[in-house]
Amino acid sequence: MSDSPASPPPSASTPGTPGPHIDDELPADGGKTAFGKLTVLMVTAFIDMLGLLMILPLLPFYAEKLGAGGFVVGLLVSSFSVAQLLSAPLWGRFSDRYGRRPALMVGLGASAVAYVVFAYADSLWLLFLSRIVQGAGGGTVSVIQAYVADATRPEDRAKSLGWLSAATNAGVALGPVIGSWVQHWSPHTPGLVAAALCVVNMAFARKYLNEIRKPGGLAADGSKPVRRTSREAVLRVISHPSEPASRLILIYAIAIGAFQGTTAILALFLGWRFGVTADTIGYFFMYIGVLSVVVRALILGRLVDRVGEPRLSRIGVVFLAVGLTGVSLSHDYVTLALAVGMLPLGTAFTFPCVTAMLSRVVSSTERGLYMGVQQTYGGITRVAFPVILGAAYDSLGQPTPFLISAVLVLATLTMGRDLEKYAPRMVKPTA
């Protein structure tokens, strides 16, 4: 592949059609300012995830005290994901029209209210209410991703999104520890601390975040953009599956569903084959988490610069499929460690690159919307795949879910076969 930037492909013939587009809005204030905004977004995402993970591990114990069984606990966990996947396109469209900053502030405020409800919930319906409101507020994940795309140049987006996910993974690692610690003070404390973190986050975002693009702006050609509804955008992925935006969303959804679905039963599989228990399973997830943070923070950007997002995303898909297959075939700890280590490599190379490419093949006036649609399809597979693969584990054999997932992930290679046309490799200018 040539080191010179490829010529831009033509814009879509109809304004508002999702791709192909080459960025119609680039930051005008330079890389230094963009890095500052990215740092603020990373801190915002870290604090948000810290509060969420303070609460999540405690949820089953709170529900059990209120008389809930395993089925109700499962519904409580799923209610968050359902609310998130339904709200994500709405938040994205809201942010496209009125700005990323207002959408993020409202979402953080909703989460703060949900945490207070959680802190004082004395019935199951209040727990459900807190989870639904929290999930609806959590739909702003797509807003933060769109904010990153607005703030960074196309060639830096995959790396920037990798840093963002590294920050959220750090929140995932620290949140449960802090939640377990503060709950000894009072059963209300975790929820109140999480709510306080949201308020601090709102104040932080209000002071340091400003709009990168003008809300409700024009399309690249200066025309007024078509205002697609959230429903139209969601259905377009299915009705126009050959469009680059649709293919990228489907690649993301299938890959993240396969990863999350197999992660849900990984403990059962390791217990069956290797005798892993509740006392030792944490080491495996810590191993995955540390690798994920290191790869996304230190390695991803260099590889994007070297091979480009389309090719690296395909490499990530292969790594993820090889890792899933390797887990199913492993019979010793060395092979298992190598196979499990392929999973965070695969996800780190796939998800930031796919999201970065999606930000480039849609107009900036619909960037938030389509990132929300990506989260919706990803949410559907995160809900469905654990159930489907869990049934396969029970009825078809313990290694089967990993093999099924590997085949599905490999099949996405056909969807990404020609993405270089729509998201060409971009070389950073040299001094």
Side-chain angles (χ1 to χ4, degrees):
M1 184 180 298
S2 172
D3 288 335
S4 59
S7 299
S11 296
S13 57
T14 304
T17 300
H21 288 267
I22 292 299
D23 279 87
D24 39 13
E25 290 186 10
L26 293 177
D29 49 3
K32 183 176 180 180
T33 303
F35 180 78
K37 292 182 176 69
L38 177 61
T39 301
V40 174
L41 288 168
M42 289 171 62
V43 173
T44 302
F46 168 74
I47 296 175
D48 189 37
M49 191 58 65
L50 189 70
L52 175 63
L53 267 294
M54 283 176 57
I55 298 303
L56 186 59
L58 301 176
L59 181 65
F61 300 103
Y62 279 56
E64 188 178 41
K65 289 181 180 179
L66 296 174
F71 178 71
V72 174
V73 170
L75 289 178
L76 278 169
V77 174
S78 297
S79 63
F80 174 91
S81 298
V82 171
Q84 188 178 52
L85 69 89
L86 290 175
S87 66
L90 301 177
W91 281 120
R93 169 52 74 213
F94 180 92
S95 75
D96 287 335
R97 288 192 176 185
Y98 303 107
R100 314 294 187 211
R101 186 170 175 264
L104 187 58
M105 297 290 285
V106 174
L108 289 172
S111 294
V113 171
Y115 290 138
V116 173
V117 173
F118 175 86
Y120 292 102
D122 56 3
S123 63
L124 287 174
W125 79 266
L126 282 175
L127 275 185
F128 271 104
L129 177 64
S130 72
R131 292 294 290 169
I132 292 171
V133 173
Q134 187 182 348
T140 53
V141 170
S142 59
V143 177
I144 295 179
Q145 291 178 336
Y147 217 137
V148 171
D150 293 340
T152 55
R153 298 186 182 277
E155 63 268 25
D156 291 327
R157 284 182 191 159
K159 174 175 65 178
S160 300
L161 289 165
W163 285 349
L164 182 72
S165 58
T168 60
N169 285 338
V172 170
L174 292 176
V177 178
I178 297 175
S180 296
W181 181 46
V182 301
Q183 62 94 22
H184 291 294
W185 299 351
S186 161
H188 307 304
T189 305
L192 294 178
V193 172
L197 286 174
C198 279
V199 173
V200 170
N201 222 359
M202 290 176 68
F204 182 79
R206 184 175 184 274
K207 182 174 182 180
Y208 294 107
L209 284 182
N210 60 297
E211 289 296 331
I212 308 299
R213 56 180 291 275
K214 184 178 179 181
L218 299 178
D221 58 4
S223 62
K224 188 175 181 179
V226 173
R227 292 298 182 188
R228 201 182 311 277
T229 67
S230 300
R231 182 175 179 272
E232 289 172 337
V234 170
L235 294 178
R236 190 176 184 88
V237 174
I238 302 300
S239 62
H240 296 74
S242 62
E243 290 181 346
S246 299
R247 286 191 277 147
L248 287 165
I249 289 170
L250 292 173
I251 291 170
Y252 177 91
I254 293 171
I256 202 167
F259 176 70
Q260 295 284 356
T262 50
T263 299
I265 60 172
L266 180 61
L268 295 177
F269 177 82
L270 295 178
W272 167 71
R273 178 162 288 179
F274 294 96
V276 173
T277 67
D279 294 330
T280 55
I281 187 61
Y283 294 109
F284 288 90
F285 286 95
M286 182 176 68
Y287 173 56
I288 292 174
V290 170
L291 276 179
S292 182
V293 171
V294 170
V295 173
R296 293 175 192 236
L298 302 179
I299 300 175
L300 176 63
R302 297 177 184 179
L303 289 179
V304 169
D305 292 341
R306 184 177 293 251
V307 304
E309 293 156 358
R311 184 179 176 190
L312 187 57
S313 68
R314 292 193 291 268
I315 293 172
V317 163
V318 172
F319 277 15
L320 182 56
V322 170
L324 291 168
T325 304
V327 169
S328 70
L329 299 177
S330 60
H331 287 275
D332 59 79
Y333 281 108
V334 173
T335 305
L336 178 64
L338 292 174
V340 171
M342 297 290 281
L343 303 182
L345 287 174
T347 57
F349 294 159
T350 302
F351 300 139
C353 289
V354 167
T355 303
M357 285 189 286
L358 180 62
S359 76
R360 293 168 61 183
V361 302
V362 298
S363 168
S364 66
T365 59
E366 292 194 312
R367 186 175 288 155
L369 172 62
Y370 273 89
M371 288 192 171
V373 172
Q374 177 181 264
Q375 292 301 314
T376 291
Y377 278 91
I380 291 171
T381 58
R382 285 195 297 267
V383 171
F385 273 47
V387 176
I388 296 171
L389 296 179
Y393 182 91
D394 291 336
S395 59
L396 300 177
Q398 290 84 350
T400 307
F402 299 93
L403 297 174
I404 293 174
S405 296
V407 171
L408 290 174
V409 168
L410 278 178
T412 66
L413 288 174
T414 61
M415 302 180 194
R417 62 191 178 277
D418 60 349
L419 289 173
E420 281 85 356
K421 292 191 300 185
Y422 308 104
R425 182 181 173 190
M426 302 184 74
V427 178
K428 297 180 182 179
T430 56

